[in-house]
Amino acid sequence: MLTLEGVHAHYGTSHILHGIDLVAEPGRVSAIIGRNGVGKTTTLRTIMGLVPLSAGRILLRGADIGGWPAHRVARGGISYVPEGRLIFPELTVIENIRVAERKPARQWPVSRLFQLFPSLADRSTARGITLSGGEQQMLAIARALISDPAVLLLDEPTQGLAPIMVRQLSSAIGHLSESGVAVLLVEQNVGLVEQVAHDMQVMVKGKIVYAAPPEKFHAEADEIRSRYLTV
């Protein structure tokens, strides 16, 4: 579905990504973990066309989308939920969702989104600014899903959330993969990643240095944490 082959990216003269290879497949959650500043968010932004691709290929259903502008990537079937949510604070819940709907949703109409996130249904006429952090994150995901994406990019969705909200989001991510969406997840909460991911990649200085299913990662967790994840 989504394949990165030898992807390099720069910010100006700074070389951030150094040959990233990974795959996000339908019905699976592929996760990238790592310390702050190693290139995780840059990977997602490069996929979306928000950071120029310096070298390599980004394939969506076999088509090379490297170099496409962000609006074309989105129309091609990739949705991005950025770190910080970036909802419209003065719009209502339903308005925030509808603003991203280019044509009537088939896979993820509003009724199904409200089944996925019942608390949003209860607050459909509330302004975005009045929502809790967890509700805003749910809203950001709902807004991304209304375009019926084949691939969903999630950047730090549980950052700053209470444990009860983390559990709700974990359940929602699991439901998304079961529905056939390919999810590429960037997340600092390793415990959450072990619960929801089908495969895990560890990134260090713009390179994938370790890849394994959660079961193998869990068995080797102490070594991997000490080598790659602790400061």
Side-chain angles (χ1 to χ4, degrees):
M1 175 61 70
L2 176 68
T3 305
L4 276 62
E5 298 178 349
V7 167
H8 291 252
H10 291 70
Y11 282 120
T13 59
S14 299
H15 195 171
I16 307 301
L17 300 183
H18 299 262
I20 299 298
D21 296 309
L22 62 82
V23 176
E25 299 178 339
R28 295 178 65 85
V29 179
S30 181
I32 305 173
I33 59 176
R35 301 184 183 105
N36 289 331
V38 299
K40 304 186 302 296
T41 293
T42 300
T43 301
L44 301 187
R45 289 176 57 82
T46 302
I47 293 168
M48 282 305 302
L50 299 171
V51 173
L53 178 69
S54 302
R57 298 201 304 168
I58 302 173
L59 305 175
L60 178 63
R61 303 188 189 95
D64 191 345
I65 66 171
W68 285 15
H71 70 271
R72 189 178 175 193
V73 174
R75 289 174 181 170
I78 301 179
S79 287
Y80 179 35
V81 181
E83 183 179 4
R85 298 138 198 169
L86 302 182
I87 65 164
F88 297 100
E90 297 303 322
L91 297 185
T92 66
V93 166
I94 193 66
E95 289 169 342
N96 263 282
I97 295 172
R98 291 290 190 194
V99 76
E101 188 176 25
R102 295 186 303 275
K103 57 185 178 180
R106 294 183 178 182
Q107 292 280 59
W108 294 99
V110 170
S111 58
R112 189 178 183 190
L113 294 174
F114 283 167
Q115 290 175 0
L116 183 64
F117 299 120
S119 62
L120 294 184
D122 296 336
R123 306 206 62 193
S124 62
T125 60
R127 291 187 303 156
I129 197 171
T130 68
L131 304 183
S132 69
E135 290 169 336
Q136 289 186 11
Q137 186 63 65
M138 294 173 186
L139 178 56
I141 295 173
R143 182 180 60 188
L145 290 172
I146 195 73
S147 63
D148 289 339
V151 181
L152 182 66
L153 310 180
L154 293 176
D155 195 357
E156 303 285 1
T158 70
Q159 187 177 64
L161 300 188
I164 188 172
M165 286 297 184
V166 173
R167 289 194 292 271
Q168 290 181 29
L169 282 174
S170 172
S171 176
I173 292 170
H175 184 78
L176 290 176
S177 67
E178 291 170 2
S179 72
V181 178
V183 179
L184 182 55
L185 170 67
V186 164
E187 180 57 61
Q188 292 279 11
N189 186 334
V190 176
L192 168 73
V193 171
E194 288 188 82
Q195 292 177 23
V196 303
H198 296 90
D199 55 84
M200 300 170 64
Q201 283 85 205
V202 178
M203 182 176 285
V204 175
K205 295 182 179 179
K207 298 179 180 180
I208 301 295
V209 298
Y210 176 89
E215 298 80 9
K216 183 179 179 183
F217 175 89
H218 186 74
E220 303 171 344
D222 290 344
E223 178 186 356
I224 299 304
R225 288 174 188 270
S226 63
R227 290 180 64 185
Y228 303 126
L229 300 177
T230 55
V231 178

